[in-house]
Each structure stands twice: as structure tokens, then as C-alpha cells.
């Protein structure tokens, strides 16, 4: 039977190939238009040229740098890399809005930190509560619900809540140049993954259609869950306990656990992404490390070396030392947000 | 620009479609040969007919049961479902062989259980050591090495070690009918996943080419790991601590965490797979639950209701009650192992 299958595939290829040959000129011209500029929102800068040169060399079967499709793994941080993260991670605004929505059922929160700070809009006090306070907010607002209920909460929030200064819904604050980069890599048969410190179920509720990345390619921090079965009805519920913090070393560790392959392309914007970049840099295939440096105080935010959120210090040192590509947001990107193009 | 891209794609489709039209009869005939019998090693039995009817209805765009490609998630247990698991899980034989290979460097093992039992080939004592002993063996033989070193250990073992009674390497003891089922689902654009209690890095060392399943679609139990970076050199090392036991409730919990979608097709052979089957059964899409019942004492092994390894008791009750498909291995499979076909 196998012989006949091979013969069939061979015959089908022959006839398709002959069609393609006869119409070759037309097809080549049409493809040339499609491929003319894969990154139109980028200025004509070094970072753009380096990306395109990399994609060309690793997808060219005749190149010594050729990477088989199965190993074209690209990993992207989310906060500050695919969408903005100022003045705080957007997931924190979700938690804050949930605390306010849930406050009537929790009268004790009026006097209990970090909830008191949230209800009194006291951002200074909230900062003082630090990571511990943040974790408490997340556990209080993200747990006790089924995956489906939590998903509905996030979908409702993303459709309605507005960013405090940009005054648009948070999903509008994705970077147009990075959407083009994701699409360019996808068209070149890279498997594009989000690998973020953000919560995996939070991201899955809305990012798939925006990034064209399916849920199985979204990796993030996780809360523990429990499974219940009752006469045909299944419930998976978030428990009030952190399962995995997908940041710093956690990123390559989770990539190894979940993907089982080293990335060849890795993109981030902070020292929290440095281990993931180092992991990609150690790939035997030619790899590409891309840092987004936030330099645009007018259109976005300017921060990096000493910032509280999204600190890029050791990462920038290593990028400079090892010749990794660094995007200067102000100079490299003609457009930052997709809504700028609608004007 | 967008208009010209759409126009280009439209034009390309038109010309390809016209080619396909003109050669339609030839292509249809060739495809008919490919599709003639997707499961040739199965007898003409109910289970086979139910599988084929299911795949037809969920891949037919005009059917009310149609499932979009992105949601065609199929999850397969490994031990006893894709390959044999008697007289013990094959990974235990790997651990035993590793203990013997490592014994010279661990003189204390001669008097220390469970290692003493292994070195004296005392399987009765080893059974008495139970799960605790098993975990100790796994941690002693699977940890302290980098992912790459461990991978090399497993590859070396699978290439040389022989099953104690079948006298072939363990990778020969996969089920031919299940290889055909995997291929059939893959050809119909299902994403096929291994979801096993076995170790994820153990499986990844050799199953991908056998099942045509990439590492990112292999989900299993895990040992904790650590990440080290030293001047360009990256090490991920197994630590002597269990990270996640991918069995029973752990299977749907891990599927939710890693895939983020409910399976529509789920296949297993023991009560350890029951939660995964219940999870698939709760899908809003039409789903398919498939149990392998080991009934062939001559060609394979006969066990189930009361067996120590691979107990299928509650699962069989629920399969009968809910009308899930159960494979009677003796009656349903014309061939069990691929090497039977070489004779």
C-alpha cells in the first residue's frame, strides 16, 4: 500500500508543479507584491534590516544557517514587548477593577491592605505593599472561579475598561510593528509563542485573535487548579496558590518543559527576559535576540535602566556586549499603536 | 496595501483552482486510493467504524458536528495505550538499568532499598517498596544531569535494552493500529498530543519520530529543573524533586494549563485516564472517548479490572454506561506490533 501512496503523492505533485511552471511569471509577480515590505510600520533602520536578513538566511534551504520548520520556535514576552505596561502591568488594573467590583461582598477590605489602598485609589500605598500585595490582589480576584467564569470576567473587562491616560481599551495598546513582526515570522513558518510573566488564563481570554497565536502557544504564570467531575459536569477551578511564576529563570525552564525545544528567535524588553534571551543565544542554530528599548516619552513611555517596571539594565549590557539587536522605539518605529494608522 | 494583498491571494487561488479543476478526475482517483482504508490493521469491527464515522462527521463542513481545525485536539495516554506496559512501565526498566550502570559509583546502594532489590533482581521486594520506592529510583537515576545528558542516556538505552520477555527493543512494542489511528487523525488536521504519566523528557528522547508528534505536543510528568548561565553556556538540570505528576486529575489540569483547550478526542487504557476522558466528554463539540481494553493474553497481555498496573475498572464502568468506545484488543486488532507485519 505504501508504494501506491508515494506514487499518488508523486503524481499529484507533478501535476501541480506543471501548473505552477506554466503560470510562473504571474505567480512570482504576485508573490513579490505580497513580500514587498513585511514590516511597513518600521522605519528603514538597522533593527529592521537585521530581522529581515535573519529570516532570509534561516529559511533559505541553500543557506548554511537553514533551520527546519519544526525548529523555528520564536518566543515573545508580552508586557512592554507586544503591548504597553505603563504606568503598571495592565493585569494589575484588571485586579484593581475586580477588587472594586467585588468590594460589596468583602466589607473587611475597607480596612485591610492592600485592598484598602485599592478602594481609596492610593497608588503610593499600593506600591509600598510591593510584590506581596500584588500577589494578594491577584489571588483574591483570580481564584475561586472556574476557568470559564474567569475567562468571562477578563473578556468583559477588556471590552470595557479604559487605560487611565491613553483613554482607550487596553487591547488597543499593542504595538503595530510587533504585530507585523509576528505575522512576518508566522508567514515564514515560525511557531510564535507568547512567554510572559502575565497570567496564562488572563492572556488567553483575549490575545489569540490579536496576535494570531493559539492558546497552546501562550505560556505564562499560573495559579494552581483543581478538577471536579459530577455526573457529566466538569469544573476546573483556580485555587488561591501560585503554581508557577513565569519570569526570569522561569521562562527558559517553562519553555523547556512545555515546548521542549530551544527558541531560535527571542524577543523581550526587560531583565526579566534575559534568561530567555540567553537560552535562545545558546541554540546551535543561528539565533536572533531582540530587545525593545522604550525610548519614546511622547508616543509611549521612556524607561529602562532604573525603572521600577520593565527594568532593562543587565539585558542592555549583554545586548551591547554580544551584539544582540536593540529596537530604539522612538527612532525605529514609524507607528506605535494600530489606531495611529486609522487617522 | 491590504487591498493589493487580498487581490494577489485571490488571483493565485483562481489560477491554482483552474489547474485543479482541469485535472480533477485524476486527483480524485489518486486521493481515493490514499483514503481507501485508514486503519488497515484493524478488523472490520464496531470500534473502527465508530472512529471513522466520528472523523467523517466532525471534519465535514456541512455537518452540524463540524469542528474547526484549531479545536481538533486529540490526547493519547502512552503506557498501555500507544505501547505496552507489562510486566512494568518501561520507564521503570530504564531506571533499573540505570541503577545497575551507576552502582559502582554508589556502593551504599548494595544495602539500601529500593536499590538493593534492583541490584539483586528481587522484583517481589521492589513491588513491596511501592510508589515511594519507584519515586526514589526515578529521582536517583533521572536527576543531577542536564536535559541533554539525560536525553543521551535515554537514547542509548532505547537503542540497546531489550524487553525481558518479548526480547526486542522497547520502541518495537508500539501498537500498529494506534500508529494508524494517529496518522489518520493527523491527516484530518487533528493536533495529536501524548498525555502520559510517564516522564516528559524520557518520552521526548525517542517518541517523536515513532508517533510523528513533536516535543511541544508531548505532555508528561516532570521533575523540577534549574537554569544556569555561564558566559554563553546554558545548563538546565534535573533537580531531585517531583514537579508534576501527570496522572488522574493531573491530566486534565495539565491539558488546561498547557493546551488551554478541551480535547475532542481522548484515548486511554486505565482509570488513570478517566479524568481526561471525562474532560473530553464535557466538550461542547461532539467528542470521542476511546478505551483500549487489554484482552489478548497470547499476543500481548490480558488485564484490566483488578490489575496492579493499568487497572481499568471505574473507566470501564463509565465507558459502558456512557457509550464510550472500547477496543477489545484480541478481537479488534488484526496486528498488534509493527514487527508482525514484517514476517
Amino acid at each position: 500500500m505504501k508504494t501506491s501512496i508515494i506514487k499518488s503523492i508523486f503524481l499529484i505533485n507533478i501535476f501541480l508543479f506543471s501548473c505552477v511552471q506554466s503560470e510562473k511569471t504571474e505567480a512570482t509577480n504576485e508573490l513579490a507584491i505580497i513580500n514587498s515590505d513585511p514590516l511597513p510600520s518600521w522605519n528603514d533602520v538597522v533593527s529592521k534590516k537585521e530581522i529581515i536578513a535573519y529570516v532570509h538566511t534561516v529559511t533559505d534551504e541553500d543557506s548554511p544557517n537553514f533551520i527546519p520548520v519544526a525548529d523555528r520556535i520564536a518566543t515573545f514576552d508580552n508586557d512592554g514587548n507586544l503591548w504597553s505596561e505603563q504606568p503598571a502591568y495592565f493585569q494589575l488594573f484588571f485586579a484593581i477593577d475586580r477588587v472594586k467590583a467585588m468590594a460589596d461582598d468583602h466589607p473587611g477590605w475597607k480596612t485591610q491592605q492592600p485592598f484598602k489602598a485599592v478602594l481609596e485609589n492610593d497608588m503610593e500605598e499600593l506600591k509600598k505593599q510591593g510584590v506581596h500585595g500584588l500577589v494578594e490582589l491577584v489571588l483574591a480576584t483570580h481564584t475561586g472561579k472556574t476557568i470559564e467564569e474567569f475567562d468571562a470576567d477578563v473578556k468583559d473587562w477588556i471590552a470595557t475598561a479604559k487605560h487611565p491616560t491613553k483613554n482607550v481599551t487596553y487591547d488597543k495598546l499593542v504595538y503595530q510593528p510587533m504585530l507585523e513582526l509576528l505575522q512576518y515570522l508566522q508567514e515564514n513558518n515560525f511557531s510564535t509563542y507568547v512567554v510572559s510573566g502575565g497570567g496564562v488564563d488572563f492572556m488567553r481570554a483575549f490575545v489569540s485573535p490579536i496576535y494570531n497565536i493559539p492558546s497552546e502557544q501562550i505560556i505564562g504564570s499560573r495559579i494552581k487548579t483543581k478538577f471536579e467531575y459530577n455526573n457529566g459536569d466538569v469544573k476546573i477551578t483556580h485555587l488561591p496558590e501560585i503554581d508557577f511564576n513565569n519570569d526570569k529563570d522561569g521562562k527558559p525552564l517553562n519553555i523547556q518543559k512545555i515546548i521542549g525545544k530551544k527558541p531560535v528567535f527571542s524577543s523581550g524588553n526587560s531583565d526579566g527576559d534575559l534568561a530567555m534571551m540567553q537560552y535562545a543565544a545558546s541554540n546551535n542554530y543561528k539565533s536572533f535576540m531582540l530587545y525593545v528599548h522604550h525610548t519614546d516619552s511622547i508616543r509611549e513611555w521612556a524607561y529602562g535602566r532604573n525603572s521600577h517596571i520593565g527594568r532593562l539594565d543587565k539585558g542592555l549590557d549583554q545586548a551591547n556586549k554580544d551584539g544582540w539587536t536593540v529596537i530604539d522605539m522612538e527612532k525605529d518605529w514609524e507607528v506605535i499603536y494600530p489606531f495611529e494608522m486609522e487617522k
Side-chain angles (χ1 to χ4, degrees), chain A:
Chain A
M1 208 194 104
K2 274 196 179 154
T3 320
S4 75
I5 291 179
I6 292 165
K7 204 179 138 198
S8 308
I9 292 169
F10 184 73
L11 284 173
I12 291 168
N13 279 340
I14 288 286
F15 101 77
L16 279 176
F17 187 68
S18 64
C19 286
V20 171
Q21 281 291 310
S22 66
E23 304 275 358
K24 197 179 174 186
T25 318
E26 184 177 340
T28 310
N29 289 346
E30 297 295 341
L31 286 167
I33 294 167
I34 294 173
N35 290 329
S36 56
D37 184 355
L39 304 173
S41 295
W42 297 57
N43 292 316
D44 189 27
V45 288
V46 171
S47 59
K48 173 175 174 172
K49 286 174 191 164
E50 287 177 344
I51 290 168
I52 292 173
Y54 175 77
V55 171
H56 278 179
T57 187
V58 301
T59 58
D60 173 3
E61 280 193 53
D62 297 327
S63 158
N65 299 318
F66 178 72
I67 302 173
V69 166
D71 292 327
R72 291 182 200 164
I73 305 293
T75 55
F76 286 80
D77 174 47
N78 190 37
D79 299 303
N81 195 52
L82 295 179
W83 72 350
S84 291
E85 61 180 352
Q86 296 291 356
Y89 298 127
F90 294 174
Q91 194 172 353
L92 178 62
F93 291 116
F94 168 73
I96 286 173
D97 289 345
R98 288 299 306 155
V99 165
K100 290 177 180 173
M102 293 162 72
D104 283 350
D105 295 331
H106 299 82
W109 284 358
K110 278 183 194 154
T111 55
Q112 183 191 342
Q113 295 294 9
F115 307 100
K116 184 170 181 287
V118 169
L119 296 175
E120 293 171 356
N121 292 314
D122 185 350
M123 293 304 281
E124 283 310 306
E125 178 58 40
L126 199 55
K127 267 189 195 168
K128 279 187 211 154
Q129 296 286 319
V131 174
H132 180 75
L134 187 73
V135 168
E136 251 196 276
L137 286 183
V138 166
L139 292 180
T141 54
H142 288 53
T143 66
K145 295 202 167 187
T146 65
I147 299 293
E148 291 78 12
E149 288 164 347
F150 179 74
D151 187 76
D153 280 354
V154 180
K155 282 188 165 71
D156 180 50
W157 178 80
I158 200 79
T160 55
K162 297 270 178 82
H163 186 275
T165 60
K166 296 283 183 191
N167 203 32
V168 292
T169 55
Y170 292 91
D171 58 342
K172 299 285 188 291
L173 297 172
V174 293
Y175 303 134
Q176 175 63 26
M178 295 304 269
L179 297 183
E180 292 166 6
L181 174 56
L182 285 172
Q183 188 185 347
Y184 179 46
L185 293 175
Q186 289 161 3
E187 284 171 354
N188 281 281
N189 297 312
F190 284 77
S191 294
T192 51
Y193 284 79
V194 175
V195 179
S196 169
V200 65
D201 292 320
F202 175 79
M203 293 188 286
R204 280 176 178 161
F206 63 95
V207 309
S208 287
I210 301 174
Y211 301 152
N212 190 30
I213 293 182
S215 62
E216 61 270 30
Q217 287 169 214
I218 299 173
I219 295 175
S221 295
R222 293 187 307 262
I223 287 167
K224 288 207 174 174
T225 48
K226 73 171 172 182
F227 176 88
E228 289 168 292
Y229 179 79
N230 184 11
N231 203 23
D233 190 33
V234 156
K235 268 190 198 175
I236 292 184
T237 314
H238 283 147
L239 298 174
E241 193 180 343
I242 299 291
D243 180 35
F244 192 86
N245 182 13
N246 194 52
D247 195 26
K248 299 190 177 79
D249 289 4
K251 293 197 177 198
L253 293 179
N254 233 355
I255 290 170
Q256 192 281 321
K257 284 174 186 174
I258 293 174
I259 309 179
K261 293 169 186 166
K262 275 187 194 178
V264 294
F265 190 106
S266 195
S267 166
N269 74 299
S270 80
D271 289 352
D273 303 312
L274 181 55
M276 177 169 80
M277 308 290 249
Q278 292 167 337
Y279 192 44
S282 76
N283 205 316
N284 290 329
Y285 291 117
K286 184 177 178 66
S287 55
F288 196 93
M289 282 59 66
L290 180 66
Y291 257 128
V292 173
H293 191 195
H294 292 263
T295 51
D296 196 319
S297 62
I298 309 293
R299 296 182 301 169
E300 211 243 1
W301 285 270
Y303 60 99
R305 283 279 181 200
N306 296 302
S307 61
H308 181 66
I309 290 167
R311 178 191 300 248
L312 179 60
D313 185 39
K314 287 183 189 167
L316 209 50
D317 287 343
Q318 186 159 354
N320 291 335
K321 183 169 78 67
D322 291 353
W324 298 349
T325 301
V326 178
I327 293 166
D328 181 328
M329 199 183 255
E330 186 190 20
K331 295 194 182 117
D332 290 9
W333 288 356
E334 190 185 337
V335 170
I336 296 203
Y337 299 122
F339 57 76
E340 295 169 23
M341 304 171 76
E342 290 159 17
K343 284 169 189 165

